[in-house]
Each structure stands twice: as structure tokens, then as C-alpha cells.
Amino acid sequence: MTTTIEVSGGNFRPYEVIVGRGLLAQLGPRVAALARGRTVVITDETVATLHGPAVLASLAAAGVKARLLTVPPGEGSKSFAELERLIDRMLAIGLDRKDVIVALGGGVVGDLAGLAAALYMRGIDFVQVPTTLLAQVDSSVGGKTAIDTPRGKNLVGAFHQPRLVLADIDVLATLPERQLRSGWAEVLKHGMICDVAFFDWLAGEGAVGSKGEPEALHRAVVRSVEIKSAIVGEDEKEAGRRALLNLGHTFGHAIEAELGFDEDVLTHGEAVALGCAMAFRFSAVRGLCAAADSERVEAVIADAGLPTRLEHAGAFSADRLRARMASDKKAEGGRLTLILARAIGDACVDKAVDRAAVHEFLKTEGAA
Ligand code: GLY
């Protein structure tokens, strides 16, 4: 089964996100329909070993000449150095603006290749082929591309929407369990933001998706993409409603930063899960949502094998965490902006959160 979701908004060319099984084998004809007979596939060394041969075979069979450009796996590749190296190789190959590049990989590859596509000759088209659950449900859709600098993550980037996204459920079978669970955190997040019926399904029958069951994964990816694309269609540049997609990210990002973004200790998805649990607890403390909703969110996150409480909380300083939250790029005009919730499925943006209340809350979470 294949499901197609159209992403459209006022300010960008509409594109399709195709979700299904066996889609890597269809990449060739789909790229052939967009490109002029050649492409560059940007990927990392791990994904190149797993899926490079299938992708190159599919492109060759469709008459598309392809070069594979690989970067080292990991967040370290979202750098100016790697971006420069990629663009230099694309120039050496002689790509021009009528060519199309393919981003084959997780969030790091998608963000880096997407930014290279945004900048190359003032912008060329690219196709996203996300190979992690996190990338399929979040980073490959919506056009955010970026690299990191030593001063912070995702601080240099562009909005550049892909021409097409191919989310092949089969490739998720090769993901380590921890990575699959991490992507599941973003799936749960979409339910928490605006679809309680989806959240109910994820908590019940659909929970097998977090263990890799392909039909549940298909439905989870499709609904996540529908939710994300509807929000992006309304607010591409995050002037308003798109900020809802950052539920759990401000708490989560502060904790990740304090841990030096060490994915061995806490993955991004785990940080988002923990951040969502904290955002709901904070909402409950403020009387915005019922304690029962916050407790349910916590239970469902824990059932998926994701963290809900700060481990070794006493090792974190409430002052430092709050300062990190205030310097997050979602902070506006010195006030703290947080995505909170009135209920499961009813998240809201609060742009004027009292810093002292956050500090007090972090103390009750165990921070020193
Ligand atoms: N990951 C949040 C967004 O794309 O807006």
C-alpha cells in the first residue's frame, strides 16, 4: 500500500510525500521524471552501505546517471566544512540548476543536503529519501534545512522545500531499536499537539509501531506527515502555528545542550519525549491542563520505552537549564516562549512564560 500526502501552502511549490513499502526501488523512475538524466545522491557512510547499491541500481535502471557523495555519519557533519566540501564536489561534477539532488539518510543528511541544495547556484531541487523514522515523520517534511556552529545547533540554514519526499517503511527495518523509539517520540508529539484520537491509537493498538510493526508504522508516518504538512502549509516560516511542532523541544534542547548533545547518553528523540512530559507537567502545574492528561502522557511515553523524568536530576542546575531555554532560538524578546497544552491534542504557544515559574518548576523536577 502506498499513501500520498500533498504538502501545499501559499508560498511554495506543492510537493508530494509518498509513504509505502519498497519505495527505494521506485526512486529511479521518480527522479527520472524530475531530472535531466543525472543526479547526485548525498548520504552518509552507514546508509551508503545499507541502501546505496539498491538506490544506484534503481537510478541506473531508469537511465539516470548517479554519483554517490558520502559524509561521515553523525551530527558533526552538519558543519560549514562538510557543506563546503559537498558544494565543491557538486561544482566539480558540473551540476547545474536544472539538476536534482537526492538526500538519502536521516535528519543530518537531510538538513545538510537540503542546505547545499538551497545554496547551490542560488537553489536547485532536491528529493528527500528519509531513512530514519525521525526523518520520515519530521525533518524531511517542511523545508527546514540547517547546519550547526560551535555556538549552537541549526543556527545557519534556509527554508528550502523538497520537490518530493519518499518515505519507504521497509528501510526502518534496519534501524537500531533505540533509533526507532526516538522517532516514535516525534510521532507521539504529533498526537499530543492536535489529534487526541491519533494519540489514543498510538497508546493502544498502534503501539506495536514503536517495535517496528510495518502496518502500524505506515499509519503512524502517514498521520504524522498529514499533521505536519497541514501546519507547514499554513505557516511555512514559523511566524505562528508552526511553533507548535516544537512541543517538548525547548525543555529537551536545554537538557541535550547540558549533556553536550551526546546521543549515546540522550538521543534527540528521547530529549523530545522527556521535554513533552515536562511540558505537560508544567501545563498541569499552571492549571492549564488536567493532571490526568499529564499523567497519561507520561505513562504512554514510558510504555514506548522513552524517558519521562530527568535522570540524575541533581546534576543539572535549574539556573543553567533556564538560561539555555531562554537562549533557544524559539525565545522571543527576552521572554520565554514555551509550547504548552490545554489537553492531549490541544497544544498552544505561550510567548510570555514567567522565568521564575520555570525556575521553580525545574527545581521540582529535581534540578539543583
Ligand atoms: N521540526 C519542527 C519543524 O519542522 O518545524
Side-chain angles (χ1 to χ4, degrees), residues 134 137-144 154 159 186 189-190 228 231-232 235-238 241-247 249 268 330:
L134 193 138
V137 299
D138 186 22
S139 55
S140 68
V141 179
K144 278 189 181 174
N154 295 328
F159 287 96
E186 300 275 6
K189 179 196 81 175
H190 289 121
K228 178 155 189 184
I231 292 174
V232 168
D235 176 25
E236 184 197 15
K237 301 272 168 75
E238 203 170 302
R241 196 168 152 70
R242 184 164 182 168
L244 293 176
L245 296 170
N246 299 325
L247 177 65
H249 283 65
H268 176 65
K330 285 132 209 154

Side-chain angles (χ1 to χ4, degrees), residues 36 85 92 157 226 243 337:
R36 291 180 313 167
R85 206 170 64 86
E226 284 172 351
T337 297

Side-chain angles (χ1 to χ4, degrees), residues 295-357:
E295 284 156 18
R296 176 143 192 257
V297 158
E298 203 172 320
V300 172
I301 292 174
D303 274 355
L306 290 159
T308 61
R309 296 268 166 189
L310 257 183
E311 247 187 73
H312 312 297
F316 291 86
S317 137
D319 273 338
R320 286 177 56 97
L321 280 175
R322 200 210 43 197
R324 296 253 190 215
M325 290 170 72
S327 67
D328 189 88
K329 61 184 180 311
K330 285 132 209 154
E332 262 182 33
R335 286 166 305 172
L336 248 168
T337 297
L338 276 181
I339 313 306
L340 300 177
R342 292 182 279 252
I344 299 172
D346 187 10
C348 51
V349 183
D350 188 336
K351 290 193 173 175
V353 179
D354 177 27
R355 284 160 191 251

Side-chain angles (χ1 to χ4, degrees), residues 184-196 198-200 202-204 247-248 251 269-284 289-309 339-347 361 365:
W184 198 253
E186 300 275 6
V187 174
L188 291 172
K189 179 196 81 175
H190 289 121
M192 291 175 212
I193 291 172
C194 61
D195 188 346
V196 67
F198 180 45
F199 187 82
D200 290 345
L202 293 168
L247 177 65
F251 283 116
E270 288 164 350
V272 168
L274 172 56
C276 286
M278 291 173 79
F280 268 82
R281 281 197 292 274
F282 186 57
S283 303
C289 89
D293 277 3
S294 159
E295 284 156 18
R296 176 143 192 257
V297 158
E298 203 172 320
V300 172
I301 292 174
D303 274 355
L306 290 159
T308 61
R309 296 268 166 189
I339 313 306
L340 300 177
R342 292 182 279 252
I344 299 172
D346 187 10
F361 171 72
E365 292 281 300

